[in-house]
Amino acid sequence: AGIRINPCRGTVTCAPWLACVWLPEEHASKRDAICKDIETSGVETRPFFYPVHTMPPYTSFRMVSSDTAKHPTVSEAVAASGFNLPTSAHLSNEDVEFICQTVKAVLQQHCTECG
């Protein structure tokens, strides 16, 4: 339970391209409202990338899956429950603090166990 962010395990030095937030499955349906509230507070968000098999150039290819309307693929479930936060080498410590506090406040409004 709770949100997940980019994992960094062991002795690996992480250098993520995106700062990702992955909501718990039971709160995935709130993702767009959460992002809207974060953006209203002055922090841009972007949804996770769409699964490749849902993009127009690839829809004609055979999908190995059950009925995705009833049982979404893992990539569809992940895409529906996550969003990305601003990243840049030019973000100041104050910018990072503002982003973190804004996201935390909005998450606490929408789902107490997420924040």
Side-chain angles (χ1 to χ4, degrees):
I3 65 165
R4 291 186 271 174
I5 59 172
N6 308 43
C8 190
R9 296 185 173 102
T11 60
V12 176
T13 300
C14 292
W17 171 46
L18 296 169
C20 305
V21 176
W22 190 359
L23 297 170
E25 184 178 347
E26 63 271 17
H27 296 294
S29 64
K30 300 175 186 177
R31 184 202 62 190
D32 292 344
I34 289 169
C35 289
K36 181 180 178 193
D37 288 351
I38 292 170
E39 290 182 15
T40 299
S41 298
V43 176
E44 183 179 358
T45 66
R46 300 270 172 115
F48 277 6
F49 290 107
Y50 296 104
V52 172
H53 71 275
T54 66
M55 295 180 184
Y58 306 101
T59 56
S60 64
F61 292 93
R62 183 173 159 267
M63 176 66 189
V64 180
S65 177
S66 59
D67 179 3
T68 59
K70 293 181 184 176
H71 306 285
T73 63
V74 171
S75 61
E76 290 167 329
V78 170
S81 63
F83 60 94
N84 300 300
L85 298 171
T87 54
S88 169
H90 302 290
L91 288 174
S92 68
N93 288 340
E94 292 80 17
D95 293 333
V96 173
E97 184 66 27
F98 177 75
I99 292 166
C100 292
Q101 292 304 319
T102 299
V103 171
K104 183 177 180 179
V106 171
L107 287 174
Q108 287 176 336
Q109 291 172 2
H110 285 270
C111 48
T112 54
E113 66 276 19
C114 293

